[in-house]
Each structure stands twice: as C-alpha cells, then as structure tokens.
C-alpha cells in the first residue's frame, strides 16, 4: 500500500497544480491512517482525507467523485474537518459516467414513467420513517425548503411560515378540496387538515402511505390518502387548489405535468409548488442519482419550466428565490443528522449516515455557492 499511496500523492499533486483554481486554492491534505499528511495548496489544510486501506487508495486514484464518495461511505476513506470545506473541494475531481447517464432515460422508455417512478421512489423514501424524523423539523416533518425570517430562526418556525405561505398562495379555506402531490411525512396534510381543509394526499411510497394513514386517523383530519402516481390520478371532480412541496424534481416531463394541472384544477383554482433548481436540466451528480434519487428526475430548470408554462392557459402569479432559504434548511438537516450519528449508525449502519451526510452537506454547500438554486411558484388557472 505504501508504494500505491506514494503514486496517489504524486497524482493528486499534479491534479491540484492544474485544477486547484476550481476550488479557490483551498489547501487539502491526504494521509494514511498512521502516516503524516501531505498538504497541497498551502501549509495549513482546510481538511484532511484519511486513506484507510488499499480500496481507498484505488478510489482516490481514479480522481472520480462517485468512486471517492462510495469509498467514504464504505469506510475506506475518512474525512477530517468541516464538511462544508470538504465538499467545497469536490470540483478537483471528475464525474463522467455516460452509460449510467443514458440508462436513466432508457429505463422509463422501456418500463413506463409511472412504473419506474414507483421503483425509484421506494429506494429513497422507504427507509424506516424514524430515520427521516431524526433530521427533519420536529413540528411538521417537511422535506422541502423552509422560509426563514432570519438566519438564526428555528427550523420549525421557518417551516410553519412556508406552509402558511402555501395555504395563503392558493387561497385555501375550510371545506376546500386541495390536492397534495407527494404527501411525504404529512407536513401539508396535517397543517391544512387541522384548518378544516379537505386534502387528498398522493404518495407512491409504502412507508409514506403507512405514516400518512396513521396520521389522518390519529388526528381525525378531513383528509384522504391515495397510493397513486400524480400522472395517473383521475378524481371525480377538479380541485380548488393543488400544492406540490418538492415533487417537481421527480416530474421531469414539464409539458405532461402542466397538462395534468390544467385538468385537475377548477377554473380560478391555484397551484403552489416549491423545488430545488439548476440552470441546466439533468445536471446533477452521479452519486446523487445512484444513491439518493435514482431515476430520470431533475432539479427544476426554471427557464425551461416557464417556457412550457407559457404554452398553457395557466397564469404565473409569482416566483420567489429560495436559494438561501434552502441553504439554511439543508444545513439544519445536516446538523441534525450528525447530531444523531451514533443512533443512526447503531440502528441502520454507518453507510446510511455517510450517504445522507454527503447528500445534505453537499446540498448546503451547493446552495451556498449558487451551484444549485431553489424557487417557489404560484400559478392560477383562469
């Protein structure tokens, strides 16, 4: 391993000389578990990569983000330092996986979008519900961005503000019928149902369905839960409003999605949605697609979405920039996750903690650097 590690140090040194500007010259160190650190870019490293075994050396030698992240999840690599600083250096490494990129689009063509989505969604959302409740906000369990009055506001209060905003945006009042796309852990269903709003909550996750049904029964909410795909949902009558909290990322066919909104909304009805976003459609990491959100989903591409919206009778009432709000949200989730690291490792293993650690801290760092964005949209059917 010593010889292989020496070759790795030389390889990383060459990469840093040619690509260090991508990470703003952030000093990086590499060492073996018992060795001295080799520092690139300065004297005092911002963080240290610790290589524990030959598999860790092999993964780092590829200079591939996905292989390196997988080695960290497996324990062949450890990371020492602030995770935001660690992930700010990811641009040193490449991420080219053309066959996997193509397969994410071929699969729904072969098996159908709805069937593929059921398989993909289950891989993310059908972890034990207790796992998600350890890092989401304790009041609402909402799995999309909060809206903060100030950076130090409690996550729970910021989530209440977002849910109130959604209700106000669609003008929902007691007795109205509102469709909740992607019920998750019941944030909107509970918040609206307690106000006498009749929510139909859609989910294609078995774990989410069990949670939602128990919530509706326990709280005696005027709501119903259906395990149905949004694109296949066909109610007897249109809805007064539709709310979509963070599901647009799983609905990449904008034209088909907007047609369903037109069909499902009564005249004068409103749609609220929020989503994480990117300036280029389908431009997310291989690690994210492989281990967090498999499939052909994509962060919202705002200009593409608005171009499709303009081809419908729907009216755009407002767009709100939530990039900083989502940075704060994912940072709080990541802090909650790490605070419960020992329990997560004991109950579900180190790999699950490290996978979501990379996902949540990586998202927080991406929002901070404007690599990814986030928006709220309010739309009306005339």
């Amino acid at each position: 391993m010593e010889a292989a590690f020496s070759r790795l140090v030389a390889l990383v040194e060459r990469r840093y000389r040619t690509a260090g500007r991508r990470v703003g010259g952030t000093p990086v160190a590499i060492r073996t578990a018992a060795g001295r650190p080799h520092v690139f870019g300065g004297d005092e490293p911002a963080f240290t990569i610790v290589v524990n075994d030959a598999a860790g050396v092999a993964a780092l030698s590829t200079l591939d983000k996905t292989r390196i992240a997988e080695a960290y999840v497996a324990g062949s690599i450890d990371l020492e330092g602030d995770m935001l600083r660690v992930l700010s250096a990811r641009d040193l490494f490449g991420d080219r996986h053309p066959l996997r990129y193509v397969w994410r689009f071929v699969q729904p063509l072969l098996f159908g979008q709805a069937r593929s989505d059921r398989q993909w969604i289950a891989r993310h959302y059908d972890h034990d519900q207790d796992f998600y409740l350890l890092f989401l906000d304790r009041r609402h369990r909402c799995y999309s961005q909060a809206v903060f009055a100030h950076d130090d506001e409690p996550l729970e209060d910021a989530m209440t503000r977002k849910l109130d905003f959604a209700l106000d945006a669609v003008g929902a009042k007691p007795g109205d019928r509102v469709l909740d796309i992607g019920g998750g852990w019941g944030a909107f269903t509970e918040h609206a149902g307690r106000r006498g709003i009749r929510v139909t909550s859609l989910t294609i996750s078995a774990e989410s369905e069990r949670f939602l049904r128990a919530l509706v029964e326990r709280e005696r909410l005027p709501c119903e839960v259906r395990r149905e795909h949004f694109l296949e949902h066909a109610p007897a009558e249109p809805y007064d409003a539709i709310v979509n909290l963070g599901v647009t990322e799983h609905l990449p066919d904008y034209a088909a999605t907007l047609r369903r909104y037109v069909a499902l909304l009564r005249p004068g009805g409103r749609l609220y949605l929020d989503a994480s976003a990117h300036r280029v459609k389908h431009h997310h990491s291989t690690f994210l697609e492989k281990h967090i959100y498999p499939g052909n989903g994509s962060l919202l591409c705002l200009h593409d979405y608005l171009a499709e919206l303009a081809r419908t009778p729907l009216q755009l009432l407002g767009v709100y920039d939530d990039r900083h709000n989502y940075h704060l949200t994912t940072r709080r989730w990541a802090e909650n996750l790490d605070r419960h690291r020992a329990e997560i490792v004991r109950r579900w293993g180190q790999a699950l903690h490290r996978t979501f650690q990379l996902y949540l801290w990586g998202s927080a760092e991406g929002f901070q650097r404007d690599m990814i964005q986030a928006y709220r949209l309010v739309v009306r059917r005339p």
Side-chain angles (χ1 to χ4, degrees):
M1 178 171 159
E2 288 296 329
F5 183 74
S6 296
R7 291 192 294 271
L8 170 64
V9 169
L11 179 66
V12 174
E13 187 173 27
R14 289 196 299 272
R15 172 54 65 94
Y16 197 93
R17 283 201 301 266
T18 59
R21 65 186 182 281
R22 297 182 193 167
V23 298
T26 299
V28 178
I30 298 178
R31 67 173 176 85
T32 59
R36 64 179 182 84
H38 298 263
V39 184
F40 312 95
D43 297 325
E44 191 67 32
F47 64 89
T48 301
I49 302 172
V50 182
V51 184
N52 294 321
D53 54 32
V57 173
L60 271 168
S61 297
T62 66
L63 300 178
D64 178 80
K65 292 179 187 177
T66 302
R67 289 283 303 278
I68 295 168
E70 289 172 340
Y72 173 67
V73 168
S76 292
I77 291 171
D78 287 324
L79 299 170
E80 295 179 347
D82 183 286
M83 287 298 290
L84 283 176
R85 298 297 301 277
V86 170
L87 288 157
S88 71
R90 60 183 136 174
D91 290 346
L92 278 173
F93 307 107
D95 186 25
R96 294 182 61 81
H97 298 270
L99 292 179
R100 186 166 190 95
Y101 181 83
V102 170
W103 175 242
R104 72 171 71 159
F105 304 105
V106 172
Q107 188 170 341
L109 293 177
L110 294 175
F111 305 111
Q113 186 68 54
R115 179 180 172 187
S116 298
D117 282 345
R118 289 186 181 93
Q119 176 187 349
W120 290 328
I121 291 296
R123 285 179 55 190
H124 183 87
Y125 290 96
D126 282 353
H127 294 298
D128 189 329
Q129 61 187 236
D130 287 352
F131 168 68
Y132 291 95
L133 301 185
L134 286 175
F135 70 83
L136 297 178
D137 73 284
R138 293 300 183 92
R139 185 183 300 161
H140 301 292
R141 311 161 306 278
C142 189
Y143 204 11
S144 63
Q145 72 262 39
V147 176
F148 289 81
H150 53 82
D151 287 10
D152 296 328
E153 184 176 34
L155 178 60
E156 285 71 18
D157 293 344
M159 281 299 185
T160 299
R161 179 176 296 103
K162 195 278 285 287
L163 293 171
D164 285 342
F165 180 93
L167 285 173
D168 291 342
V170 299
K173 58 187 182 301
D176 281 353
R177 296 175 61 256
V178 178
L179 178 65
D180 177 22
I181 301 172
W185 313 116
F188 182 80
T189 298
E190 183 177 35
H191 195 65
R194 285 179 171 176
R195 288 156 175 75
I197 297 166
R198 297 180 294 159
V199 179
T200 296
S201 188
L202 302 183
T203 182
I204 55 175
S205 160
E207 193 69 18
S208 170
E209 181 188 22
R210 283 191 289 271
F211 187 95
L212 286 164
R213 290 193 184 282
L215 172 68
V216 169
E217 182 177 351
R218 184 176 64 251
E219 298 290 331
R220 297 183 179 180
L221 303 173
C223 306
E224 64 171 336
V225 181
R226 295 190 182 185
R227 194 171 172 191
E228 292 180 16
H229 195 288
F230 165 67
L231 295 178
E232 297 177 339
H233 181 54
E237 56 182 315
Y239 290 96
D240 298 303
I242 299 174
V243 170
N244 174 339
L245 306 182
V247 183
T248 300
E249 296 92 326
H250 303 296
L251 298 167
D253 187 339
Y254 297 160
T257 302
L258 290 163
R259 284 196 298 270
R260 291 306 300 151
Y261 289 147
V262 173
L264 292 170
L265 274 174
R266 66 164 175 79
R270 292 188 179 193
L271 160 71
Y272 166 87
L273 68 87
D274 56 46
S276 51
H278 199 284
R279 292 185 175 90
V280 180
K281 197 172 182 182
H282 298 294
H283 191 76
H284 53 271
S285 73
T286 302
F287 181 82
L288 187 76
E289 188 276 330
K290 188 175 180 182
H291 296 286
I292 303 295
Y293 289 114
N296 66 334
S298 173
L299 303 188
L300 171 69
C301 185
L302 183 63
H303 51 277
D304 285 356
Y305 199 88
L306 295 182
E308 288 295 341
L309 181 69
R311 297 185 177 97
T312 75
L314 297 170
Q315 300 170 336
L316 180 65
L317 301 183
V319 180
Y320 304 83
D321 180 3
D322 270 348
R323 180 172 66 87
H324 185 60
N325 282 321
Y326 224 152
H327 162 71
L328 294 174
T329 303
T330 49
R331 182 165 186 154
R332 302 291 178 82
W333 289 343
E335 290 168 348
N336 290 342
L337 184 89
D338 285 349
R339 192 177 301 116
H340 292 95
R341 182 188 65 80
E343 180 178 354
I344 292 170
V345 171
R346 176 177 59 82
R347 296 178 65 181
W348 300 289
Q350 175 179 270
L352 184 62
H353 171 259
R354 288 192 169 191
T355 297
F356 271 74
Q357 186 186 45
L358 291 175
Y359 162 48
L360 296 177
W361 281 113
S363 297
E365 196 274 335
F367 287 120
Q368 185 177 58
R369 270 205 289 161
D370 198 23
M371 293 171 59
I372 47 178
Q373 300 80 42
Y375 299 99
R376 281 169 284 155
L377 275 68
V378 182
V379 173
R380 177 179 180 271
R381 180 184 172 186

